[in-house]
Amino acid sequence: METVTGYVEHIIYQNQENGYTVFVVVCEESEITCVGSCKGLTDGENLEATGEYTEHPVYGKQFKISSYRVVAPTDAISVERYLASGAVKGIGAALAKRIVKMFGDDTFRIMEEEPERLAEVKGISERKAREIAMQMEERKDLREALIYLQQFGITNTLAIRIFDTYGMNLYGIVKENPYKLAEDIDGIGFKIADEIAAKIGIHTDSDYRIRSGILYTLLQGVAEGHCYLPVDKLLIRAEQLLQVPTTYIEQQLPNLAMDKKLIIKGEKVYAYTYYYAELSCARMLYELNIPMRESAQHVETVLKSITKEIRMELDELQVKAVTEAIQNGLFILSGGPGTGKTTTINTIIRYFEREGYDIFLAAPTGRAAKRMTEATGFEARTIHRMLELNGAVSEDNKRGAHFERNAENPLETDVVIIDEMSMVDLPLFQALLKAITPGTRLIMVGDVDQLPSVGPGQILRDIMKSEAFPMVVLQKIFRQAGESDIVVNAHHINKGEQIALNNKSKDFFFLERNDVNVIYKHMVQLIRDKLPAYVGATSYDIQVLTPMRKGSLGVEVLNGILQKYLNPPDGRKREHVSGETIYREGDKVMQIRNNYQLEWEVVSRYGIPVDKGMGVFNGDMGRILEIRENASELVVEYDESRRVTYPFSLLDELEHSYAVTIHKSQGSEYPAVVLPLLTGPRMLFNRNLLYTAVTRAKSCVTILGSCETVQSMIENESENRRYTSLDLRIRELEGLEDLY
């Protein structure tokens, strides 16, 4: 690490949200370009920064700051330079010169300790002197807070969040209970709070520490998809984290329950929010589950007319599904590929359209919504967009991202149909149910054998498991679908039956390849040269799916290789390097976390905005349209022609998506899918994962790898069990209803 000291001559770029700043520092007559998180930094300030020199491929030598502190200017020249820079509102070059001429080297001390004396300078009234004093005090408080928090290894970005949240109370909170930071500040988890506590000298068996560790353990479970943890697993995990006896942890569980931080139900321990989210969803489902007054004879007559019109006969289960959807406020339709879900949904839609009902169609992701639109001919939106997501943060910062459609402002429609329900997690499902009033039909469609949602819960599976609501599971594979080996093999896989890997199929291929480098070579050949013409698509549309992130056939390695060959360097394509990643115009990319504040817009062919909104979500895939180095930003176009401008400081939310994990591919459909399957952990290489991967392909599946691996995946029923209990909450309410 090296240290540089000087004054900020010029700020080139500064992100107001996270403080990422590019600026020029003058030290001993030389100029240094510095980059780092320096929120609140202004031209003219004196700086002492620690970091290291790096070589940027475009901008050359830069000093990357790891920590810094603003130091008060000590001589008259430095003070005048600082004031003349505009750092203090209301003071320009001429006034700065008069102030320094009067007070000399003592200027800064007077401005901070005797600001009323500024009124002695011509052009400064007493009111203006007070305003300058307030600015100096605010900047001084922030600087001191940053310096104080730096000793605990807290970055300036996090330090600013802490200061914005607590103000001058942060000192007392950090000294007394630093674990409160983990509860209140986004980006500070238990581990950071624990490091602060250790430096302050808080004992490892502190009540504060143990309580925070328990809550952290529960939230780690939520990140894995669980809504609760069995008490024995919670104690084991918390003991490993805290390194204190289990008895100490057990003692704190009732205290946290009394403080309404968690709920204990028998041997299950829930984070407070998720227990009541499941309970709330169960209650709202029951409220929607009311019979609808539709004459059976009328329904039958209309259905006959529709099937005659579309020239398609429905089988017995499909007729039952359509009838149940019409005659109930709540209905679940499930089934694997080729079982006629789309035909059934289309018939339901036609019935309601003919009867004059308003219908909303939605799906969890943009790609799934696009598929739904293509399959039905009716506009489908993402659930977030249907609920009118508002990512704006209010001035009082009390209301962040939220849905405009809720219990007070429900959806104004008669029917809501949600596709790909296996992808919907508990928080989103709760928000959806809040926006639907009893009397509005809710029809949920999905394949229960797909992988569960990325977020907590397994909504579709739990609702079906409860057996409390009208439901139809389609099972018959229709003749046309049965001609596809993708469909047939998917059903074999789902039943645990081995599939033919003899390459006699027209749409399901297997290439035995046991050398990783050979797999790389053939993967590129397939995507670039062979498959596009075969399936009538572009290389961009063909997707590599893999079970893993790490390893030689994981997402991280594959994306580097595929970018090199599918979107190679080109003098006409602009690039930007961020860390070890090269972003290039034309790259396939994916958003890897929910960002409710990012704005998107849809523009016409003439560049005129025709639609706009907020929110880009984990799993959204798009393409880099443009890189603007001068503005330090790049533009990504997602599904539905939504364009999002990313400042370079947010590029940690984007990763390449030439290859994606099978889990991230849920809800998507690609013309062709390439699956590299060689070796991997047994818990990951299971039947459920292979089934999901195969059903993502529309026209062609190609597996590269080991025949034994494919066979063992089909035999492997093991899934990472999710601890969820929506089905239990539903049954509890069913028992209560039976009492009346």
Side-chain angles (χ1 to χ4, degrees), residues 615-633:
V616 185
F617 306 104
N618 186 3
D620 282 356
M621 289 174 61
R623 194 171 194 165
I624 297 177
L625 285 185
E626 186 180 1
I627 294 175
R628 304 164 179 164
E629 282 291 348
N630 291 339
S632 297
E633 63 189 23

Side-chain angles (χ1 to χ4, degrees), residues 7 120 129 158 203 219 330 344 536 640 653 726 734:
Y7 72 92
E120 298 173 16
L158 288 180
H203 294 297
L219 290 177
L330 186 68
T344 307
E640 301 173 312
E653 296 189 6
L726 178 60
E734 188 176 34

Side-chain angles (χ1 to χ4, degrees), residues 88-92 95-96 98-99 111 115-119 121-136:
V88 179
K89 191 176 178 181
I91 299 180
L95 189 52
R98 291 203 296 273
I99 293 170
M111 293 182 73
E116 68 278 359
R117 290 190 58 192
L118 289 172
V121 178
K122 183 179 178 183
I124 299 181
S125 64
E126 289 185 10
R127 180 182 173 184
K128 191 167 187 175
R130 286 195 298 271
E131 290 174 354
I132 293 170
M134 286 176 63
Q135 287 186 64
M136 295 296 290

Side-chain angles (χ1 to χ4, degrees), residues 644-659:
V644 178
T645 299
Y646 286 83
F648 288 165
S649 55
L650 283 184
L651 292 186
D652 61 341
E653 296 189 6
L654 279 181
E655 67 180 24
H656 289 113
S657 61
Y658 296 97

